[in-house]
Amino acid sequence: MILPPRNRLALFLLSLSLLIPWASSRVVQFELDLTWEDVEVAGAVRKAILSNGQLPGPALRLKQDDEVEFLVNNSLPFGTTVHFHGIQQQNTPWSDGVPGLSQTEIQPGDQFLYKWTASDYGAYIYHAHTRAQIDDGLYGPIYIEPRESVERPFHLIATNQAQSHELQAMRDAEKKTQPIMLTDWRAFTSEEFLQIEMASGLNGYCASSVLINGKGSVVCPSRETIQALTTDAQRGFLEGGELTDMGCMPPTASFVGAYALDLSQAPRGYYEGCTPSEGPTEVFHVEAASRYASFDLISMAGSTALVFSIDEHPMYVYAVDGRYVEPVLVEAITVPIGARYSVLVKLKSDPLAAEDTTEYTIRAANSYANQLINGTALLSYNTSSKASSSSSQPYITPSALNATATTTFLNDSAIIPFPILTPSPDTTQTHILNVATINTSYTWTLGNTSYSPNNDLLSPPELFNLSAIPAQYALTTLNSTWVDIIINITTAGQPQHPFHKHSNKYFVIGSGTEPFVWASVADAMRSIPERFNLVNPPLRDTAVSPASVDGPAWLAIRYFVQNPGPWLLHCHIQMHHSGGLAIAVLDGVDEWPVMSNPVSSFSITST
Ligand SMILES: *[C@@H]1O[C@H](CO)[C@@H](O)[C@H](O)[C@H]1NC(C)=O
Ligand SMILES: *[C@@H]1O[C@H](CO)[C@@H](O)[C@H](O)[C@H]1NC(C)=O
Ligand SMILES: *[C@@H]1O[C@H](CO)[C@@H](O)[C@H](O)[C@H]1NC(C)=O
Ligand SMILES: *[C@@H]1O[C@H](CO)[C@@H](O)[C@H](O)[C@H]1NC(C)=O
Ligand SMILES: *[C@@H]1O[C@H](CO)[C@@H](O)[C@H](O)[C@H]1NC(C)=O
Ligand SMILES: *[C@@H]1O[C@H](CO)[C@@H](O)[C@H](O)[C@H]1NC(C)=O
Ligand SMILES: *[C@@H]1O[C@H](CO)[C@@H](O)[C@H](O)[C@H]1NC(C)=O
Ligand SMILES: *[C@@H]1O[C@H](CO)[C@@H](O)[C@H](O)[C@H]1NC(C)=O
Ligand SMILES: *[C@@H]1O[C@H](CO)[C@@H](O)[C@H](O)[C@H]1NC(C)=O
Ligand SMILES: *[C@@H]1O[C@H](CO)[C@@H](O)[C@H](O)[C@H]1NC(C)=O
Ligand SMILES: [Cu+2]
């Protein structure tokens, strides 16, 4: 729920004389005051993190090349850090916000000044990177307006006679692009959730509601509805049973693994025990005369893969993870946690026509097998006529499947960057990182071991002491080299993990659903060349591994090391990340930044 700001959002735009004489940029100062308060979300009150009194936090709007000074004022009763998701942090590794790697936690009552350059345009996110605080609501959208000189891909959409008219409408829509934050919400604080996980042995994979820009309701579907909407994928794990009243998978061995559980420690609302409550619904207002509306779809969910769709409104996807792509027209988009999709929605020209409705349902439905859950919002045309009572026609079902015979879903593997960028045809190093649960249902490996929570406490952090982190939790690279990482999903039944790499983006060069038995991409390409794309692969900072439905699977990424520093590579499903599905990527150890005293340089005690 969006509350009236308690503290005024302080956003000062200063035109400063420049330190670097040949560049032209402005300094943008943004202050985020974090508080821990009783908040009503989806109709129920619990403690949550507010950012300048809001949840989600206020939008940070920038222009490409801006110098950002982002001051975090920690008025929370616990330590925190803020990460800028997708921001490259070229030459500013101290501003990446990962405790133990780039900084120590900002203590209660302390402040920390992050400084970075908005070198890339597009849609990004700021969010907590300490413990599981994202699930308490610490996130907000960032939008960086491209330089005028950056070529837009809109001419690939407008192909009719009125092209220039049409192009202008698209450019205007892009200028006014609005964030749509998709999240999920639980009845428990993140620390309570982690406690329940440890006490019960059961991985926390359920939510009570899906929120759109912080708004939503807790809906408890009837047993008949649940039965009717249960998918084949879910039946594959149910072992003959049924979903709980929250729409959640019960903890069957085929779903959570054959680990010892103590379900008496799992309170009502953890995976069963639905309590309905009604909250507000987000409404997006558009005007038919604008002809197009632009939205940045952003997921900061904890445990859901939300399929986004607007009834009766196809969408041109024109940017992914902040960067332009060759536009594709789709009716539904799966938004993995941490990913961003910018879309142009062609508006109806005549919503006033007699039987036309002026309100269209916006849907966000979970596609993971863990839970049947969805949220809704409204796209509303500003017209003088009253909204008709007829309801709009959905493209997707509440189970995130096609609701029509022809619904088109975005195919992530077919996304082509605009302009095309080509990775190196070969690589210097290959790291094969195995992914599986180990010892408990909530502990995961990425590589040879599970990333330890103790790594978050390294002081001084890794950036300031290259030997701080034990070797098994990190991989190292040399600057100016190409690196391959194979995410090796070794067991069946794993969901699509959204892999986020901090700092610069990677090419998604291949994926498959067979055991990855090769030593390198070059080896694999001799056996299964059709699984790879080195010509025009997607460029991402967050991409999913394939679901390992029947057996092992893999994802191959390739990137150029260009920004020395300690960067995390991790699954963005919150409880997988908390369970150790992460590794420190020490990029460019041969050119490691030399820094003196981190605390006095970058943490300030008063404004
Ligand atoms: C920053 O936090 C302190 C307490 O931690 C509070 O007194 C102060 O008002 C906050 N500043 C702003 C601008 O919110
Ligand atoms: C989920 O979808 C169903 C069917 O469209 C709808 O009845 C229900 O209200 C939706 N849930 C929420 C929280 O919007
Ligand atoms: C549309 O109408 C809503 C509600 O009356 C109003 O808040 C909003 O500003 C209007 N938007 C535009 C673009 O006129
Ligand atoms: C969804 O797509 C499948 C496969 O194309 C088709 O068989 C099915 O009928 C579609 N569902 C609906 C409700 O149209
Ligand atoms: C998605 O795109 C890839 C690459 O073009 C293609 O190989 C694959 O078959 C497509 N998947 C679907 C479901 O259409
Ligand atoms: C798994 O359990 C074994 C035996 O207790 C222990 O030695 C090992 O460290 C554990 N591994 C992880 C990643 O927790
Ligand atoms: C750096 O980390 C290593 C390994 O933990 C530790 O032995 C050493 O004391 C640390 N150096 C400093 C300056 O803290
Ligand atoms: C994992 O173990 C293998 C084999 O011992 C080793 O080659 C590799 O470097 C290790 N990886 C990491 C990230 O420690
Ligand atoms: C990757 O996983 C497959 C099983 O899917 C396994 O056969 C292979 O040995 C693993 N690779 C490495 C390097 O551990
Ligand atoms: C690291 O490599 C990149 C790309 O070659 C280069 O631009 C950058 O200057 C290098 N950094 C250092 C510190 O040498
Ligand atoms: Cu995961």
Side-chain angles (χ1 to χ4, degrees):
M1 129 159 231
I2 313 232
L3 300 166
R6 273 179 63 259
N7 298 295
R8 270 188 310 124
L9 159 64
L11 173 64
F12 309 103
L13 304 180
L14 304 180
S15 299
L16 295 184
S17 58
L18 302 164
L19 299 172
I20 310 166
W22 59 85
S24 119
S25 59
R26 53 177 201 163
V27 174
V28 176
Q29 298 185 326
F30 193 84
E31 185 172 327
L32 203 66
D33 190 42
L34 302 175
T35 54
W36 182 239
E37 299 183 44
D38 285 316
V39 187
E40 188 177 307
V41 178
V45 174
R46 56 155 269 206
K47 279 272 192 292
I49 299 175
L50 296 186
S51 303
N52 297 349
Q54 303 179 34
L55 189 170
L60 171 57
R61 282 187 88 95
L62 302 167
K63 287 188 195 304
Q64 198 173 0
D65 304 315
D66 281 349
E67 300 291 335
V68 183
E69 296 188 1
F70 192 106
L71 180 69
V72 173
N73 192 20
N74 183 10
S75 306
L76 301 167
F78 41 76
T80 194
T81 57
V82 173
H83 167 62
F84 302 92
H85 184 110
I87 299 295
Q88 190 162 313
Q89 301 293 2
Q90 187 72 41
N91 304 325
T92 51
W94 55 84
S95 290
D96 197 47
V98 178
L101 292 187
S102 52
Q103 69 174 107
T104 52
E105 286 181 12
I106 312 167
Q107 294 305 314
D110 280 1
Q111 300 182 322
F112 190 88
L113 183 61
Y114 295 94
K115 289 189 186 187
W116 46 271
T117 306
S119 49
D120 298 313
Y121 64 84
Y124 299 91
I125 318 165
Y126 63 84
H127 69 71
H129 218 296
T130 295
R131 307 276 297 167
Q133 291 169 11
I134 290 178
D135 285 354
D136 295 318
L138 202 180
Y139 38 69
I142 299 174
Y143 179 70
I144 304 173
E145 190 180 321
R147 288 177 205 123
E148 281 301 310
S149 61
V150 174
E151 190 184 6
R152 272 67 170 173
F154 302 142
H155 60 283
L156 300 173
I157 301 175
T159 50
N160 62 21
Q161 316 91 315
Q163 209 188 35
S164 67
H165 213 199
E166 208 62 9
L167 280 175
Q168 194 55 50
M170 293 180 197
R171 286 290 294 259
D172 292 347
E174 183 195 35
K175 271 202 177 347
K176 292 185 286 185
T177 191
Q178 298 183 58
I180 299 187
M181 284 224 110
L182 307 172
T183 61
D184 51 29
W185 194 251
R186 277 150 273 272
F188 308 98
T189 66
S190 65
E191 289 299 326
E192 289 166 351
F193 207 64
L194 290 165
Q195 288 298 323
I196 297 167
E197 207 176 50
M198 285 190 291
S200 65
L202 177 60
N203 176 219
Y205 52 78
C206 284
S208 50
S209 57
V210 167
L211 307 179
I212 298 182
N213 284 352
K215 297 178 186 170
S217 292
V218 181
V219 169
C220 302
S222 69
R223 182 52 43 197
E224 296 68 43
T225 302
I226 290 172
Q227 293 297 69
L229 293 173
T230 303
T231 63
D232 290 345
Q234 287 165 333
R235 289 187 205 288
F237 290 111
L238 276 169
E239 299 173 4
E242 44 188 42
L243 298 178
T244 72
D245 61 347
M246 290 171 72
C248 278
M249 191 61 63
T252 61
S254 60
F255 191 65
V256 299
Y259 299 108
L261 304 178
D262 179 359
L263 296 177
S264 70
Q265 298 298 310
R268 198 181 147 76
Y270 189 61
Y271 70 94
E272 62 178 356
C274 191
T275 309
S277 56
E278 201 175 324
T281 300
E282 177 73 337
V283 181
F284 297 91
H285 293 279
V286 293
E287 284 187 70
S290 311
R291 299 216 297 292
Y292 288 92
S294 173
F295 297 105
D296 297 305
L297 315 180
I298 300 171
S299 174
M300 270 291 107
S303 59
T304 48
L306 297 168
V307 177
F308 179 90
S309 184
I310 307 174
D311 287 1
E312 300 177 36
H313 286 74
M315 305 172 275
Y316 287 101
V317 179
Y318 70 89
V320 174
D321 288 358
R323 197 175 180 285
Y324 290 131
V325 298
E326 293 184 7
V328 271
L329 186 63
V330 299
E331 290 151 349
I333 301 169
T334 308
V335 187
I337 301 165
R340 289 89 64 212
Y341 297 83
S342 302
V343 299
L344 275 174
V345 178
K346 195 167 177 19
L347 300 176
K348 290 186 186 282
S349 54
D350 190 13
L352 288 166
E355 57 272 82
D356 241 349
T357 174
T358 54
E359 286 194 334
Y360 298 85
T361 302
I362 295 176
R363 299 171 198 274
N366 181 31
S367 61
Y368 283 149
N370 64 334
Q371 187 173 13
L372 173 70
I373 189 168
N374 67 288
T376 52
L378 291 172
L379 180 73
S380 175
Y381 282 81
N382 276 12
T383 66
S384 47
S385 75
K386 270 218 151 127
S388 86
S389 57
S390 72
S391 51
S392 53
Q393 293 305 306
Y395 289 122
I396 60 167
T397 70
S399 319
L401 300 174
N402 58 308
T404 79
T406 58
T407 304
T408 319
F409 289 74
L410 177 68
N411 177 352
D412 255 359
S413 311
I415 290 169
I416 300 174
F418 178 86
I420 291 168
L421 289 182
T422 308
S424 164
D426 43 43
T427 192
T428 312
Q429 276 186 63
T430 301
H431 298 276
I432 302 180
L433 305 178
N434 292 343
V435 179
T437 54
I438 180 169
N439 294 353
T440 74
S441 76
Y442 59 85
T443 316
W444 290 82
T445 64
L446 178 60
N448 296 336
T449 190
S450 181
Y451 196 79
S452 167
N454 292 335
N455 295 333
D456 297 353
L457 307 176
L458 297 172
S459 181
E462 180 67 12
L463 177 61
F464 304 90
N465 178 5
L466 187 48
S467 53
I469 196 166
Q472 71 267 31
Y473 301 121
L475 61 85
T476 61
T477 70
L478 299 178
N479 199 37
S480 246
T481 64
W482 285 87
V483 173
D484 283 1
I485 294 177
I486 314 293
I487 305 292
N488 198 25
I489 310 294
T490 59
T491 58
Q494 295 188 38
Q496 293 188 296
H497 301 279
F499 277 92
H500 174 53
K501 180 189 162 292
H502 292 211
S503 191
N504 61 310
K505 292 182 175 33
Y506 54 76
F507 291 98
V508 182
I509 59 170
S511 64
T513 49
E514 57 270 297
F516 193 90
V517 294
W518 302 275
S520 66
V521 165
D523 265 3
M525 283 184 80
R526 280 187 276 275
S527 307
I528 45 167
E530 69 281 6
R531 297 275 200 270
F532 292 91
N533 175 3
L534 295 180
V535 178
N536 56 8
L539 187 61
R540 306 292 303 256
D541 55 54
T542 310
V544 293
S545 55
S548 62
V549 179
D550 307 310
W554 56 275
L555 176 77
I557 66 177
R558 176 170 293 178
Y559 76 99
F560 183 60
V561 182
Q562 61 184 63
N563 189 21
W567 312 113
L568 204 64
L569 171 71
H570 65 99
C571 175
H572 227 294
I573 295 175
Q574 182 58 65
M575 289 300 128
H576 292 188
H577 179 192
S578 300
L581 216 175
I583 192 165
V585 175
L586 310 181
D587 269 342
V589 289
D590 54 328
E591 298 286 354
W592 203 250
V594 179
M595 313 244 181
S596 57
N597 195 347
V599 175
S600 63
S601 301
F602 303 112
S603 172
I604 59 173
T605 49
S606 64
T607 29

